[in-house]
Amino acid sequence: MRVLLITLLTFAIGAVTGQTKLRIDPNGAEAPTFSELFEEVKFIPLETKSQSIFGSIKQLFVTKDLFIFTETKTNNIMIFYRNGKFKTKIDRDIYSSGSINIDFENERIYYNKGYTIYSFDYEGKSLGLIDDKRIGSRYILGKNTTVYYDKRVNKVLPDSISHEISFFKEGMPEAKLFPYNMKNDEFSMEDTYQVMHSFFYTIGNGTEALFTRPYHYTIYNARSSGVDSLFQIVLPYELSLNEEELNNNKRYPAGSKSSYFKDHPNHIQSITFPYSIGSNLFFKLQPSGVISDSYLYRLDEERLFRVDQVKADEKSYYLNVLNILMPSEFVNKNFLVADEEYIYTIMPADVLKEQYKNNKSRGLTTEYPEDLLKVLTSRNKNANYVIVALKPKK
């Protein structure tokens, strides 16, 4: 698998750079052992006590000192220290938006309720309300810059141009990208699909976020200075969209693009869940008819791995680091977030305990970290989830 380089274009906010083209054949993906992909795993049990119990993690952010996330049981925002100890929570009612935004630079937490943004500090203290009538997925990039994604297409909307990506600096419009016609675009709202993640994928220290667009195979990076087009994925012909056919509105009119994927069930709709750490590019391929697969492409070696087929070994304490049992956290949510060193997922404590019991019966034992051993030998049947931090080889 060769990496073809395209010369970078001059970049300014409101423009998009050139990209690296990656030719990827999923049929050649390797099923690795843990040690082939990762240097380290940290199993971080989240403290279980009456005020810290939650359902499952939906949206996770990792700061220098904290885990901040939304959860499924109460719709609250939970705040834990990086060692797993509970810090505090922010109570929300059922009418509040499920997604949150983190301002890493100013240490602020935001969530929406209608057109009102509720603001909190990392102690969970309320800092007041902000009016925001902008619609779409929101991400704070630092330096008082916020980026939004919004694509609404409907025959009742004006016959005018809008943009998928909009930058605002200190609340004022800064730049717009990817124009489309709100009334007559080739794809309507019925043609889009839902991914169990917010539109933007955090990387690094939170001031960058990767994103992709439906029906495109390009991975972009949003920064306060604008958008980089990082990678273009080139797939084998039998998996690739036929754009001319897909865009044929006589055969597949707007609002009926799903018919194209009935005719071409193996074609990949989009690239999802992109994360980049060092020479490692994580992503999923999103077909329409089957569950998507999770991959890691090693840029320096030009090798493709099936992450969801990684095999446990001594370096992972003979424990599976991904929960692919049904109902599967990883199959549905994939990795939740990444920082400069680690990529994160979650594991039910009971699943880890069952693995430990089975390994012990087979004579597979090793020296476990103290906190992990407490979870593996605990009799608490209602323990909170365990955060799994994986450090990929660089």
Side-chain angles (χ1 to χ4, degrees):
M1 288 171 282
R2 292 293 177 186
V3 180
L4 303 181
L5 296 179
I6 298 177
T7 304
L8 290 178
L9 305 175
T10 303
F11 176 71
I13 192 164
V16 181
T17 68
Q19 68 235 174
T20 298
K21 189 175 287 187
L22 306 179
R23 296 191 179 276
I24 287 175
D25 182 359
N27 294 319
E30 304 172 45
T33 63
F34 176 87
S35 299
E36 286 183 272
L37 298 189
F38 301 104
E39 293 182 6
E40 176 191 2
V41 58
K42 292 181 179 180
F43 293 97
I44 308 166
L46 297 179
E47 184 179 16
T48 304
K49 53 185 182 180
S50 58
Q51 63 266 45
S52 72
I53 293 175
F54 61 89
S56 179
I57 295 176
K58 294 197 295 184
Q59 186 186 16
L60 173 66
F61 289 91
V62 181
T63 74
K64 180 182 177 182
D65 302 310
L66 303 170
F67 294 121
I68 302 172
F69 58 88
T70 57
E71 55 91 23
T72 58
K73 187 174 183 179
T74 64
N75 198 38
N76 291 332
I77 300 169
M78 310 297 293
I79 305 175
F80 286 76
Y81 292 103
R82 289 284 293 268
N83 63 3
K85 297 296 183 183
F86 176 67
K87 180 173 183 177
T88 188
K89 63 183 176 182
I90 299 170
D91 294 321
R92 298 192 298 177
D93 60 41
I94 61 173
Y95 303 105
S96 304
S97 169
S99 61
I100 61 176
N101 300 124
I102 303 295
D103 184 341
F104 289 81
E105 192 172 64
N106 297 305
E107 298 190 350
R108 298 289 183 266
I109 303 169
Y110 301 99
Y111 74 85
N112 285 65
K113 184 177 179 181
Y115 291 127
T116 301
I117 296 177
Y118 289 68
S119 173
F120 296 81
D121 62 19
Y122 283 2
E123 302 299 319
K125 177 184 176 183
S126 175
L127 299 176
L129 309 179
I130 304 168
D131 288 331
D132 184 6
K133 291 184 170 53
R134 291 184 287 270
I135 299 174
S137 298
R138 177 174 182 260
Y139 192 91
I140 300 169
L141 292 165
K143 298 185 178 178
N144 297 314
T145 301
T146 304
V147 61
Y148 289 79
Y149 173 84
D150 180 35
K151 186 174 182 181
R152 288 167 295 146
V153 180
N154 197 294
K155 294 300 181 183
V156 303
L157 293 174
D159 185 8
S160 60
I161 298 299
S162 186
H163 293 79
E164 295 179 36
I165 296 290
S166 300
F167 282 83
F168 291 82
K169 194 171 186 67
E170 296 181 349
M172 301 300 294
E174 180 83 356
K176 297 180 179 181
L177 294 170
F178 309 124
Y180 69 94
N181 188 294
M182 297 175 69
K183 185 174 185 177
N184 297 314
D185 190 78
E186 293 170 333
F187 298 90
S188 72
M189 294 178 68
E190 290 80 8
D191 295 320
T192 59
Y193 55 88
Q194 298 296 318
V195 175
M196 294 183 69
H197 196 285
S198 58
F199 182 79
F200 296 100
Y201 299 83
T202 301
I203 61 170
N205 59 7
T207 58
E208 298 180 77
L210 299 188
F211 69 90
T212 60
R213 300 160 61 212
Y215 309 112
H216 292 80
Y217 295 164
T218 302
I219 298 173
Y220 302 93
N221 184 23
R223 299 176 290 117
S224 61
S225 56
V227 170
D228 292 313
S229 177
L230 294 184
F231 303 104
Q232 182 184 1
I233 307 297
V234 180
L235 298 170
Y237 175 80
E238 64 272 15
L239 301 179
S240 300
L241 294 174
N242 184 326
E243 293 187 17
E244 182 177 352
E245 186 179 356
L246 179 63
N247 295 336
N248 185 335
N249 282 335
K250 290 185 178 179
R251 184 171 181 181
Y252 303 111
S256 303
K257 299 298 183 183
S258 59
S259 297
Y260 171 90
F261 294 100
K262 290 180 182 178
D263 295 338
H264 307 282
N266 294 327
H267 286 194
I268 302 300
Q269 292 186 354
S270 185
I271 312 297
T272 58
F273 294 93
Y275 297 100
S276 179
I277 303 176
S279 296
N280 302 281
L281 176 65
F282 296 86
F283 60 90
K284 291 188 82 171
L285 299 179
Q286 190 73 46
S288 61
V290 297
I291 295 174
S292 53
D293 301 324
S294 185
Y295 297 91
L296 184 154
Y297 186 78
R298 186 72 56 69
L299 295 164
D300 55 351
E301 299 176 350
E302 300 178 15
R303 295 173 67 187
L304 183 67
F305 299 93
R306 276 286 299 272
V307 178
D308 51 354
Q309 293 182 355
V310 64
K311 301 179 182 68
D313 59 22
E314 186 174 8
K315 206 167 187 177
S316 68
Y317 309 106
Y318 299 111
L319 298 171
N320 294 321
V321 296
L322 306 175
N323 180 28
I324 57 174
L325 300 173
M326 297 303 293
S328 170
E329 297 287 344
F330 188 78
V331 169
N332 292 321
K333 300 177 184 178
N334 204 53
F335 293 108
L336 296 173
V337 71
D339 59 21
E340 293 93 339
E341 291 188 289
Y342 295 90
I343 192 163
Y344 298 83
T345 182
I346 56 176
M347 184 78 74
D350 284 348
V351 172
L352 287 175
K353 286 190 282 188
E354 188 65 25
Q355 288 187 61
Y356 171 72
K357 186 192 305 181
N358 291 338
N359 287 345
K360 195 173 180 181
S361 67
R362 296 161 54 202
L364 288 175
T365 59
T366 185
E367 186 175 343
Y368 300 97
E370 183 178 346
D371 287 347
L372 175 59
L373 188 59
K374 287 180 180 178
V375 172
L376 298 177
T377 56
S378 170
R379 295 184 180 181
N380 185 351
K381 296 182 179 180
N382 298 307
N384 278 332
Y385 272 79
V386 176
I387 289 182
V388 182
L390 301 167
K391 185 176 184 179
K393 291 184 174 181
K394 292 188 178 182

